Amino acid sequence: AEAGKNTYATALAHGNLGRARRKLGGTHLPTAEANLQSALETFFTLGRAYEEMLAAAELVVLYRDQQQFDQALVYCERSQQRAEIVRSGISDERARAGFIATVSDLYANAVFCAMRAEQPALAFRYMEMARSRAFLDLLKNDEADLARRAATAIPTLQEVQSLLPPDCLLLEYFTM
């Protein structure tokens, strides 16, 4: 048990150091990346989805700021997956409201990185996920069941485009 506490504390320290070094920028970025990677893997090993989500989100920002959008997208997906795991365990309304603000940043970064990586279909997917997630968060009854069904019902950009007449423009906007 003591070793587990030390491992968790060390992972927290690596995450905090990584975040601080990321904010310093410049020559600190390689060390920031190593710290965040270490924290991410330790949190994964410990089964700490919330902390893993935060470490992945920090890596998204690190890669985004360096314009390494494809690399950022790897961690966008991971942070979004962990966010859904964490969300399913939140029952308190105030805690859920605070968590929703955190998750909206995850989606905003994902849309931005996908567009900058010239992957509009992926950006569309993230916009649809954010939109449907925001709607589900407004619903109170049977939200867990609705969330499971929504996860499999998100249409792709290609599917939506195939349903449109040739002279029709699909305009999607994203706001949180």
Side-chain angles (χ1 to χ4, degrees):
E2 190 64 35
K5 287 181 185 176
N6 289 338
T7 303
Y8 178 73
T10 301
L12 282 176
H14 279 281
N16 290 333
L17 283 169
R19 186 176 309 106
R21 288 178 171 142
R22 178 191 59 77
K23 289 179 180 182
L24 288 172
T27 60
H28 298 279
L29 292 177
T31 309
E33 180 182 17
N35 287 144
L36 291 168
Q37 289 286 354
S38 175
L40 181 75
E41 294 312 314
T42 302
F43 290 137
F44 172 75
T45 301
L46 294 173
R48 304 292 301 221
Y50 179 74
E51 291 86 351
E52 185 183 350
M53 176 197 72
L54 294 177
E58 284 293 328
L59 283 161
V60 169
V61 174
L62 182 136
Y63 291 123
R64 181 202 67 199
D65 290 351
Q66 295 178 73
Q67 298 186 11
Q68 296 177 20
F69 301 111
D70 289 325
Q71 189 66 18
L73 286 170
V74 170
Y75 295 99
C76 286
E77 188 66 25
R78 189 164 177 177
S79 63
Q80 185 273 329
Q81 289 171 351
R82 294 301 175 248
E84 289 305 315
I85 291 169
V86 172
R87 181 190 312 271
S88 68
I90 300 174
S91 58
D92 181 72
E93 263 187 64
R94 280 184 267 166
R96 186 180 294 270
F99 185 73
I100 290 169
T102 299
V103 173
S104 68
D105 287 343
L106 298 178
Y107 283 117
N109 275 322
V111 170
F112 178 81
C113 291
M115 290 303 295
R116 293 299 302 266
E118 298 181 9
Q119 295 186 43
L122 185 58
F124 178 82
R125 180 175 152 252
Y126 280 120
M127 285 188 287
E128 285 298 298
M129 289 170 67
R131 183 189 56 74
S132 64
R133 174 44 62 199
F135 176 70
L136 288 174
D137 284 336
L138 293 175
L139 301 175
K140 294 187 182 186
N141 296 334
D142 203 21
E143 191 258 333
D145 183 52
L146 287 171
R148 278 193 298 280
R149 288 188 296 184
T152 60
I154 297 172
T156 67
L157 177 59
Q158 195 171 29
E159 289 169 341
V160 172
Q161 287 174 327
S162 72
L163 299 172
L164 298 174
D167 62 343
C168 185
L169 169 69
L170 170 65
L171 179 63
E172 173 100 16
Y173 69 93
F174 175 76
T175 182
M176 292 297 284

